[in-house]
Amino acid sequence: MIEDKVSFDDFKKLDIRIGKVVSVDNHPNADKLYILKIDIGGDIKQCVAGLKQYLRPEQILNKSLAVIVNLQPAVLRGVESQVMLLAASTESTTGRDVVLVVPEKELPPGSRVS
Amino acid sequence: MIEDKVSFDDFKKLDIRIGKVVSVDNHPNADKLYILKIDIGGDIKQCVAGLKQYLRPEQILNKSLAVIVNLQPAVLRGVESQVMLLAASTESTTGRDVVLVVPEKELPPGSRVS
């Protein structure tokens, strides 16, 4: 657990949206990374995500998921990541399990998460 | 869209977990609020959530969902809210649609979202 408390105003600075994954490609310079294109509501953003050990492309493509759209862009192994998806993970006796964080029912890309 | 960018360090201050809803009750003093008890991994936290117009109790009870567990507690109409759940919403011609934000597959309560 993180003991430090965060204010609601700090949380509100994050712009979290429902995005729809429109493409999944291998990162050319990193074994564990995918390059995703995500429709966040009219705009397509690029996301570099470390999901390759856990999910196959077809388990991600066309999925709607929660995406933070106003993080400062980062460059991962030479490729820009403009948005960040949320994933949940747990450690078990059989290794690490990683799953996407998704709306329970499909909503249009760009729908706000709060 | 929120134009201001947020740093990854700011995002990391948030402790987001998978929680499982173990009870749903009406708020005694507010027509639109539920009081939920959520298992966040060994610990049960109380959450006051404005979902009553959109979801019935049985659509929430026993669900696993994404919960921010280190926000400063707030008091809503006299009842303390210790954690905040994530929900996605959209406006349509038929009104406002609100859905829970959930792990795509069930993970144990307390699993980290990042």
Side-chain angles (χ1 to χ4, degrees), chain A residues 1-2 4-6 11 13-15 63 68 70-72 84 87-89 100-102 104 112-114, chain B residues 2 4-6 11 14-15 17 63 68 70-72 84 87-89 100-102 104 112-114:
Chain A
M1 293 281 161
I2 299 173
D4 286 344
K5 297 286 183 188
V6 174
F11 168 70
K13 290 177 191 164
L14 290 177
D15 194 352
K63 290 285 170 71
I68 305 173
N70 71 332
L71 282 186
Q72 283 158 7
M84 198 183 98
S89 62
L100 302 175
V101 174
V102 305
E104 198 181 18
R112 188 178 285 275
V113 176
S114 59
Chain B
I2 299 174
D4 286 344
K5 296 287 184 188
V6 174
F11 167 70
L14 290 178
D15 193 352
R17 303 287 177 139
K63 291 284 171 69
I68 305 173
N70 71 332
L71 282 187
Q72 283 158 7
M84 199 184 96
S89 61
L100 302 175
V101 174
V102 304
E104 197 181 18
R112 189 178 285 276
V113 175
S114 59

Side-chain angles (χ1 to χ4, degrees), chain A residues 18 64-66 101-107, chain B residues 88 99-102:
Chain A
I18 300 304
S64 290
L65 35 70
V101 174
V102 305
E104 198 181 18
K105 287 188 297 188
E106 185 104 2
L107 287 187
Chain B
V99 308
L100 302 175
V101 174
V102 304

Side-chain angles (χ1 to χ4, degrees), chain B residues 5 7 9-11 31 33-34 57 71 77 79 81 86 99-100 103 105-106 114:
Chain B
K5 296 287 184 188
S7 73
D9 282 343
D10 277 338
F11 167 70
D31 285 347
L33 301 178
Y34 286 129
L71 282 187
R77 297 279 187 106
V79 175
S81 187
L86 294 184
V99 308
L100 302 175
K105 287 188 297 188
E106 183 104 1
S114 59

